[in-house]
Amino acid sequence: MDFKDMKFEIFRGCDRGLSCKGCGRQDRQLNTYDWLADVPGNTLSTDLVEVQFKNTRKGYYHNVNHLDLHKGDVVAVEANPGHDIGVVTLTGQLVKLQVKKANIKSPDDIRRIYRIAKPVDMEKYKEAKSREHATMIQSRQIAKDLGLQMKIGDVEYQGDCNKAIFYYIADERVDFRQLIKVLAEAFHVRIEMKQIGARQEAGRIGGTGPCGRELCCATWMKNFVSVSTNAARIQDISLNPQKLAGMCAKLKCCMNYEVDSYVEAGRQMPSKEIQLQTMDNDYYFFKSDILAGLVTYSTDKNLAANLETISAKRAREIIEMNRRGEKPLGLQEDGTPQKENKPKDVLEGDISRFDKNKKKKKGANGRQNGKPRRPHADRPQGDNAPVAGGEADNRAAGNRRQEHHGRREQRPNGEQRPQRQRNRGPKPESEAKEKTE
């Protein structure tokens, strides 16, 4: 192939080099990428269409009128009673797989698509959606007044305002027959009660998990499997309730993702109860890294003493040798003990290295040659102040000060230079009298 004159296209945005027709509305939960969107004749292979409603509720319908539907189209579908408004999220061959995954067996559960939504349908749909929040708050108060141990988590109105679905959570069985009568009288619509679990509620609300990604129950997970603490034990996860619980306050569903891999890898590991015998010592199981296939043994059964890490294969070899009555020189294949990588102790060696003199330099605090200056109280003042350079230099400096002082004090005609008066405040009366006398 000649690449010289070929024009390459840089893909960016949500496309990432895939089929642009397969990307759907990312603001909806349980979004599915259509890998077959650019295959010719994909939409003509079946008339099944996936339609999504509020949050995670989806339905599957027959396109009996052979409408040209694409991902993101708003359609009016058959409901009981009346009609509902939803968004097309998938067409073509993948819808068959979604129907099989949703475990829909009866053909009566798959209804028809009437038409693409008209402006009149959208006005009524917006009116229905505007009533949902107020209805949820009022219904919670009604359930509380009736003394029912349940929590109404969400309310969804049908597109034509003829029916309302109330999603609730309850730990025990609830008799809500009286509640249905009160709600029907209050809102004048057909009432449908649907019980959901804590995980389903978290998926409907949506959010971000501790891993930094969007919740699995809000993106792709539909069928929820029970999760037990045994999955955490198999993977050597700390049994901390705060870390094991997800946004729904239940055990995280992702704990089941890698359990099978850990179970399969754990079959290759030696038993924890088997003791390894060598010529130098006996070793007991201390810890293991299942995915890396490493086992750590200790010479003490209860403490971490003389730890040595070997592979699971080497451990099984030693076990077979012990069963034959043989003992290797050591746990390592060459018989030499494993070198311990101890951290370097700060107190090792000469401690006086911290007391070494720093570089001699004159600092801002008056130091010169690394020696501090003497305080003023201990230093001679005036003519007797020492000068660097020895006694002779000090004596010569003193003579020069005296000569300079004599020339400064001699004035013409024998007059002396008036001394400057400093304002030191009022003097005591005793001193003033002595001077006047």
Side-chain angles (χ1 to χ4, degrees), residues 127-143:
E127 179 186 352
K129 294 302 170 184
S130 63
R131 298 171 55 185
E132 290 180 350
H133 183 71
T135 302
M136 181 184 66
I137 300 301
Q138 188 175 351
S139 62
R140 286 179 177 177
Q141 185 62 38
I142 294 174

Side-chain angles (χ1 to χ4, degrees), residues 217-252:
C217 52
T219 52
W220 61 272
M221 183 178 289
K222 292 183 179 180
N223 302 323
F224 299 95
V225 184
S226 60
V227 185
S228 63
T229 55
N230 189 34
R233 294 190 182 95
I234 294 175
Q235 301 175 70
D236 291 334
I237 301 175
S238 175
L239 298 179
N240 187 351
Q242 295 181 350
K243 293 185 177 180
L244 296 181
M247 304 297 290
C248 56
K250 302 291 184 180
L251 293 176
K252 295 178 182 176

Side-chain angles (χ1 to χ4, degrees), residues 74-78 82-86 113-129 157-161:
V74 182
V75 294
V77 298
E78 181 184 0
H83 69 273
D84 203 352
I85 303 295
I113 295 178
Y114 287 148
R115 60 187 178 272
I116 295 179
K118 298 178 181 179
V120 179
D121 300 330
M122 295 306 299
E123 289 178 5
K124 201 154 192 177
Y125 172 77
K126 292 178 181 178
E127 179 186 352
K129 294 302 170 184
Y157 270 90
Q158 198 170 273
D160 56 359
C161 293

